[in-house]
Amino acid sequence: MYNLVVFGAPGSGKGTQSARLIDEYGLYHISTGELLRDHIARDTELGRVANEYISQGHLIPDDLMVDILEHTLDENPETANGVIFDGFPRTIPQAKALKDMLARRGSKVDAVVGLEVADEELIDRLLKRGQESGRADDNLDTITERLKVYNNQTAPLRDYYVGEGKYHGIKGSGPIDDIFDDIRKALASARENDK
Ligand code: AMP
């Protein structure tokens, strides 16, 4: 069992690197952003609530987000074999809730991969992605707000996980393959140290 948190600002490459990690380690992937976008596409009640926040570049309230995550774990028993958490946690209360949730299941966060990319590059990438993907929150106003929210509410998680001895900072710019190699090396050495 191996639980991995992929952490980073919007546009840092969490989705891209998570896809590779799934291929490599065969873990269950939970992207809270994708999960919410799926609800919005299906126009569920949750989707309508989530859209209010997402379109403003704000975070979904912690209680609601934690509930959604707990349901996802319960409804997918294969998550007991290990999960890549992509986009969760995004606040300290979410990190604490994740710790409790996993502890109740006899499990824990094993490692956190933090993709570190400069703000100017993030903005460039998100604007490009907006042109290609049509994601409604990839426009300059929402991007600026999302980066502000990230710096205020999510970035403090770095120190939280450094304190837990789980944080592995990875330079998230440059060729995708090189970034993935760095992640693989960091996780391999973390696993060696855990033995
Ligand atoms: P993402 O695809 O990870 O960039 O997420 C897109 C949007 O979904 C974010 O800007 C938030 O509005 C919302 N969201 C995703 N994950 C979370 C989370 N863990 N907590 C709160 N809001 C979230």
Side-chain angles (χ1 to χ4, degrees):
M1 188 205 301
Y2 197 69
N3 292 307
L4 183 64
V5 171
V6 179
F7 171 79
S12 60
K14 296 190 295 291
T16 305
Q17 295 299 337
S18 291
R20 299 202 166 200
L21 286 161
I22 297 159
D23 289 347
E24 178 97 1
Y25 298 101
L27 300 170
Y28 190 90
H29 181 215
I30 300 180
S31 157
T32 43
E34 272 175 27
L35 217 146
L36 295 168
R37 281 189 291 280
D38 177 58
H39 274 275
I40 293 172
R42 289 188 287 120
D43 198 26
T44 65
E45 198 178 324
L46 170 60
R48 286 193 286 273
V49 173
N51 197 31
E52 300 272 318
Y53 294 95
I54 293 182
S55 58
Q56 305 279 321
H58 295 152
L59 296 182
I60 273 69
D62 286 335
D63 288 355
L64 180 57
M65 205 62 242
V66 168
D67 260 12
I68 296 170
L69 196 85
E70 186 132 37
H71 271 103
T72 307
L73 293 178
D74 287 342
E75 282 165 8
N76 299 282
E78 60 275 39
T79 54
N81 297 327
V83 175
I84 293 180
F85 294 95
D86 162 3
F88 186 97
R90 260 176 154 100
T91 63
I92 301 273
Q94 288 184 15
K96 291 184 173 160
L98 179 62
K99 189 174 184 172
D100 292 347
M101 240 185 288
L102 292 176
R104 284 199 294 277
R105 292 166 171 79
S107 182
K108 63 177 172 30
V109 168
D110 292 285
V112 177
V113 166
L115 296 169
E116 299 175 350
V117 179
D119 273 8
E120 308 79 66
E121 187 169 345
L122 293 171
I123 294 171
D124 266 8
R125 287 185 188 181
L126 290 167
L127 286 173
K128 274 201 197 101
R129 185 173 77 184
Q131 284 165 1
E132 286 156 16
S133 73
R135 250 179 76 163
D137 56 348
D138 285 342
N139 61 74
L140 191 54
D141 281 351
T142 315
I143 290 169
T144 309
E145 187 59 26
R146 284 158 70 203
L147 289 178
K148 210 164 82 190
V149 167
Y150 173 79
N151 286 319
N152 289 334
Q153 300 191 56
T154 308
L157 280 177
R158 181 184 182 282
D159 284 349
Y160 174 87
Y161 282 121
V162 168
E164 297 224 318
K166 294 183 174 168
Y167 186 83
H168 304 277
I170 304 286
K171 185 170 150 277
S173 52
I176 290 171
D177 288 343
D178 293 358
I179 300 168
F180 185 61
D181 259 356
D182 289 345
I183 296 175
R184 221 172 15 197
K185 281 182 202 143
L187 293 180
S189 76
R191 282 177 138 171
E192 263 319 297
N193 291 336
D194 282 349
K195 274 184 192 161

